[in-house]
Amino acid sequence: MPINLVTPLAAGDAADRAARLMGQELSRLLDTPVTVINRPGAGGSLGTQSVIRAPKDGYTLLYAQNSPLTIRRVLEPEATNYDPLRDLTPLGLTTRSPAVLVARKDAPFKTLKEMIAHAPKAPNGIRIGNAGPGSVGEISTQLINSATGAALSSVSYKGAAPAITDLLGGHIEGVILALGAVSTHIRSGSLRALAISSPFPEFPEVLTLRQLGYKADILGVWFGFFMPAGVPKAVVDRIVPALEEATRHAGISAQLLPAGIVQEWGSGRALSEEISSEFRAVSELLGTRAKNTK
């Protein structure tokens, strides 16, 4: 019987590629077919809820990013009436895609601190684009304001591409997007990276907010594997070592790194802690009452 690997993403992007590479390796390690099922919609909530409702037989896996597990639970509690620590079994953290703040190379500032200092002089203020409402870019703009005292404005787009187009056209002053969306522009020199959510080996000179002396970092995108709550322990004990081995597979890492994706293993407990801490941070930032989490 094949394992269904549900990912709440549209087919074709870099994260979908990561899911498929992981699925292929899991199939080899478990000697069981693994079928990737794309189930996008509602910011990832539809795919997440489908796994919550799936049979507890070990034949359904979820490969999900942080948005439906933390951010959207704060912004849209009625539409995301689930708790990933109650309704899912966290198996392991596997993938990170840092978010990065970038500006045009000809901007009148070269660093984050210069951007913040320039904001009061800018005729339209400093406008930071993001990939959509509830995205890590939108939340991260507010995190920067909270951590630095800046007054950056957030501008939401329908995806990364139009945000980049407006930045290159001079209609906004910066964007915060997943690194893979802007890495080509950073390499070419058309965009300058000012801050990143977590260190990335290709761009060691780009620092996090904490490295720059602030008390909070912007949010990146991370992915973890889950099963429905209540799956037998014996099933979990069989899947987790295979997930760890697949995450550490050098060939997969080499294929994903150019797209701005880092394979990074963390236990189910580490994944649970990541969910709890990020949910709490976003709740506090937005002044929203947090749901109870374990």
Side-chain angles (χ1 to χ4, degrees), residues 43-45 48 52 62-74 80 82-85 88 222-226 271 275-276 278-279 293:
S45 297
T48 300
I52 289 172
L62 172 68
Y63 178 69
Q65 75 276 35
N66 44 333
S67 179
L69 304 172
T70 60
I71 297 171
R72 288 196 174 274
R73 289 174 54 225
V74 177
T80 53
Y82 54 80
D83 182 339
L85 303 185
L88 293 167
W222 51 258
F223 284 81
F225 276 85
F226 302 80
L271 176 55
I275 291 169
S276 293
E278 184 170 292
F279 179 69
T293 57

Side-chain angles (χ1 to χ4, degrees), residues 42-61:
S45 297
L46 290 183
T48 300
Q49 289 172 326
S50 74
V51 174
I52 289 172
R53 296 191 298 265
K56 307 176 189 301
D57 55 9
Y59 286 96
T60 304
L61 283 169

Side-chain angles (χ1 to χ4, degrees), residues 197-220:
S197 61
S198 58
F200 189 76
E202 185 180 352
F203 305 114
E205 73 283 0
V206 185
L207 304 181
T208 67
L209 262 64
R210 290 185 188 277
Q211 289 173 324
L212 291 169
Y214 300 107
K215 293 183 178 180
D217 281 321
I218 62 176
L219 296 182

Side-chain angles (χ1 to χ4, degrees), residues 105-172:
K105 66 176 181 181
D106 59 354
F109 43 80
K110 292 182 171 59
T111 67
L112 175 63
K113 291 184 178 180
E114 289 180 3
M115 172 188 270
I116 294 167
H118 178 75
K121 312 170 198 171
N124 299 304
I126 299 292
R127 299 159 295 184
I128 306 298
N130 61 72
S135 66
V136 295
E138 183 188 34
I139 301 300
S140 291
T141 301
Q142 297 183 55
L143 282 167
I144 291 175
N145 287 341
S146 177
T148 68
L152 309 180
S153 300
S154 183
V155 183
S156 292
Y157 291 83
K158 293 181 178 179
I164 295 169
T165 298
D166 264 14
L167 174 59
L168 293 172
H171 303 294
I172 55 176

Side-chain angles (χ1 to χ4, degrees), residues 185-250:
H185 297 286
I186 297 173
R187 293 184 190 109
S188 72
S190 60
L191 295 179
R192 178 184 290 114
L194 306 182
I196 197 166
S197 61
S198 58
F200 189 76
E202 185 180 352
F203 305 114
E205 73 283 0
V206 185
L207 304 181
T208 67
L209 262 64
R210 290 185 188 277
Q211 289 173 324
L212 291 169
Y214 300 107
K215 293 183 178 180
D217 281 321
I218 62 176
L219 296 182
V221 180
W222 51 258
F223 284 81
F225 276 85
F226 302 80
M227 279 183 167
V231 170
K233 184 177 182 299
V235 174
V236 174
D237 290 345
R238 179 170 179 254
I239 292 286
V240 168
L243 281 174
E244 180 174 2
E245 187 172 343
T247 302
R248 298 184 187 280
H249 191 284

